[in-house]
Amino acid sequence: MQEKPTKVQKLKTKPTILKLGGSVVTRKEKPLTPNLRAIKRLTNEISKANISPLVLVHGGGSFGHPLAEQYGIKEGYKDSSQIMGFSKTHQAMTKLNKLIVDSLINHNIPAVGVQPSSCIVTKAGRIQSMDEKPLKRMLEMGFVPVLYGDAVPDAKLGFTVLSGDQLVSALATKLNAQRIIVGVDVDGLFDADPKIKKTAKKLSHLSLGELKQLQGNVGKSTACDVTGGMFGKIAELLPALEKGISVTIVNATKPGRIYKALKGESIEGTLIEKE
Ligand SMILES: Nc1ncnc2c1ncn2[C@@H]1O[C@H](COP(=O)(O)OP(=O)(O)OP(=O)(O)O)[C@@H](O)[C@H]1O
Ligand SMILES: [Mg+2]
């Protein structure tokens, strides 16, 4: 029997996936500290841009990473002390998610928080199964799902950390996204970590091939980041780029950049495309 086309394919526009980095929505150097000003400004920019369909993903920043590191969540189950650690890491992420969803709703965006740990299982750290049906239906109805990097059940390890970056890439592929916009705390992708090397040059436009050549020069993070900082981010985005989904990396700490990126206006940042 021929399968019915899913309704998401009938959406007039392909979805945009926007990642708000934990480096932007939290104070990454201070455990469990949100950047409420940035959250308010960004949700205002998202509201003004009025893009649909839109899926939001936010990172862990100082809510997820320090607890995940303290309890060794990414490495999987080793002893019973980690069980409370998993709960605490996940709970910290739900608190950050609530702050962001509250702010979106205050700006009249029909945001719905979606817990990755309830609809995704990984196997040795890679997404093995993901129930995207609720997300597709939400998009058809005009909702804005808001997911995040999370502590998730893992078929091999017991549990692990699913990065917001892996999630962004998987969502983009599964939901047949048009583009990915990644907001971070630096002006884009550089030929070296700009926080370490002051003379690092920003790369404005890259092909997938050029990105692969550059990979060895990309650093992790100067802050606590259990999922590999910029290096991990780039590695995760490769599968989406292979599928022809473009990636724009912008500085979301600078007012107006996320608004412009959503509107498709030219901005200072890095655009990566397959060809
Ligand atoms: N070549 C590079 N170009 C740009 N940034 C780089 C590079 N190498 C390393 N970085 C670092 O990557 C950091 C951004 O990644 P990081 O994982 O810390 O943030 P994030 O993904 O927004 O946070 P989270 O993982 O909590 O969502 C920047 O602050 C920068 O210092
Ligand atoms: Mg990161």
Side-chain angles (χ1 to χ4, degrees):
M1 206 173 83
Q2 212 187 345
E3 231 177 66
K4 270 193 191 166
T6 56
K7 280 196 180 165
V8 80
Q9 285 165 336
K10 288 187 196 158
L11 284 170
K12 284 195 198 91
T13 321
K14 288 180 173 185
T16 294
I17 316 284
L18 171 62
K19 160 115 193 265
L20 297 176
S23 61
V24 182
V25 292
T26 75
R27 301 202 184 277
K28 218 162 161 170
E29 67 297 344
K30 276 194 190 165
L32 299 171
T33 311
N35 186 337
L36 293 173
R37 262 181 73 177
I39 292 172
K40 194 171 170 190
R41 176 181 55 74
L42 285 165
T43 49
N44 188 37
E45 288 186 30
I46 295 165
S47 174
K48 272 202 317 197
N50 197 21
I51 295 291
S52 181
L54 176 67
V55 180
L56 284 181
V57 175
H58 61 82
S62 65
F63 279 73
H65 294 287
L67 281 165
E69 185 170 74
Q70 184 186 339
Y71 290 98
I73 302 301
K74 186 161 187 274
E75 292 70 32
Y77 182 82
K78 293 204 174 75
D79 68 72
S80 58
S81 70
Q82 292 171 295
I83 295 291
M84 281 312 297
F86 181 96
S87 290
K88 287 180 189 172
T89 307
H90 170 70
Q91 185 65 357
M93 285 310 301
T94 65
K95 284 182 184 158
L96 177 59
N97 182 252
K98 183 178 179 301
L99 291 174
I100 294 171
V101 173
D102 278 344
S103 186
L104 288 161
I105 291 173
N106 282 341
H107 287 92
N108 217 26
I109 298 167
V112 179
V114 176
Q115 297 190 358
S117 53
S118 309
C119 57
I120 294 173
V121 176
T122 55
K123 189 174 181 185
R126 310 307 304 168
I127 293 176
Q128 182 186 39
S129 65
M130 167 156 105
D131 187 1
E132 71 267 19
K133 275 193 235 92
L135 294 175
K136 287 183 174 176
R137 191 72 189 128
M138 281 185 205
L139 290 178
E140 289 165 10
M141 296 299 296
F143 293 113
V144 176
V146 187
L147 300 94
Y148 45 95
D150 200 3
V152 295
D154 186 283
K156 254 209 167 112
L157 303 170
F159 47 71
T160 192
V161 171
L162 169 67
S163 72
D165 302 320
Q166 186 185 155
L167 188 52
V168 160
S169 199
L171 287 169
T173 304
K174 292 244 181 195
L175 300 173
N176 192 22
Q178 183 205 349
R179 58 184 178 149
I180 294 170
I181 299 168
V182 181
V184 286
D185 64 344
V186 288
D187 279 345
L189 183 63
F190 288 68
D191 62 1
D193 186 341
K195 285 193 183 160
I196 293 173
K197 194 174 170 192
K198 294 292 165 220
T199 54
K201 279 199 204 75
K202 187 173 70 72
L203 304 152
S204 302
H205 199 168
L206 281 174
S207 67
L208 181 54
E210 289 167 332
L211 181 70
K212 284 181 181 166
Q213 284 184 358
L214 181 85
Q215 253 187 313
N217 295 353
V218 179
K220 291 185 173 177
S221 179
T222 48
C224 173
D225 193 296
V226 297
T227 53
M230 187 58 82
F231 183 83
K233 196 182 303 300
I234 294 302
E236 292 297 357
L237 291 169
L238 292 178
L241 282 159
E242 301 272 7
K243 293 227 153 55
I245 301 165
S246 71
V247 174
T248 306
I249 302 176
V250 286
N251 193 337
T253 70
K254 303 235 169 113
R257 298 249 173 114
I258 286 292
Y259 170 82
K260 281 188 173 174
L262 285 169
K263 286 301 220 184
E265 292 173 19
S266 74
I267 30 148
E268 199 183 318
T270 302
L271 172 65
I272 313 166
E273 291 175 299
K274 188 174 180 187
E275 302 298 339

